[in-house]
Amino acid sequence: MVTLAAMQIIEGAGRWTPPPAGTANDWVEHLKVPDLSVGTYCIPAGGVDDQSPHTEDEVYVVTAGRARIVTPGGAAEVGPGAVVFVPAGEEHRFVDVTEDLALLVFFGPAYGSRGGA
């Protein structure tokens, strides 16, 4: 994680990375400032999304792979180029991951800044 007050190029953001041995998924936070954080979340094909609802609003940009996102309000197929908004506190999961899934994730305000993340 890097905290900056100036422009930065974020190398590797949104790129598929296999999860470390012994873990289901991979989350890497690339940038964190008070009002925003950016990271990459990867789920392998056939994997299980084990995240809990977040205390911050969230935007996912699918950079690779295919899956379905499920919320209490419904479900949708997602693939490269899909952009998904999930409001703070809403249950959501990526299911039926048929291809290694890489997600560029934006949190506003920064991930964990409201506590409970």
Side-chain angles (χ1 to χ4, degrees):
M1 172 186 59
V2 177
T3 302
L4 296 175
M7 190 280 299
Q8 177 187 0
I9 303 298
I10 304 171
E11 298 291 337
R15 187 176 304 143
W16 164 255
T17 304
T23 62
N25 305 317
D26 187 45
W27 162 251
V28 175
E29 188 172 62
H30 303 292
L31 172 75
K32 186 172 189 174
V33 295
D35 293 326
L36 174 74
S37 61
V38 178
T40 301
Y41 184 43
C42 296
I43 306 169
V48 175
D49 181 3
D50 57 2
Q51 66 180 316
S52 299
H54 311 294
T55 56
E56 300 79 27
D57 290 334
E58 183 175 18
V59 172
Y60 291 101
V61 178
V62 180
T63 60
R66 300 201 177 276
R68 286 184 333 126
I69 187 164
V70 178
T71 71
E77 301 290 327
V78 295
V83 178
V84 180
F85 171 73
V86 178
E90 183 172 72
E91 282 280 346
H92 59 286
R93 296 263 181 285
F94 290 94
V95 300
D96 302 330
V97 181
T98 59
E99 298 174 13
D100 292 340
L101 188 64
L103 304 156
L104 186 56
V105 186
F106 299 85
F107 286 98
Y111 179 71
S113 64
R114 291 183 177 163

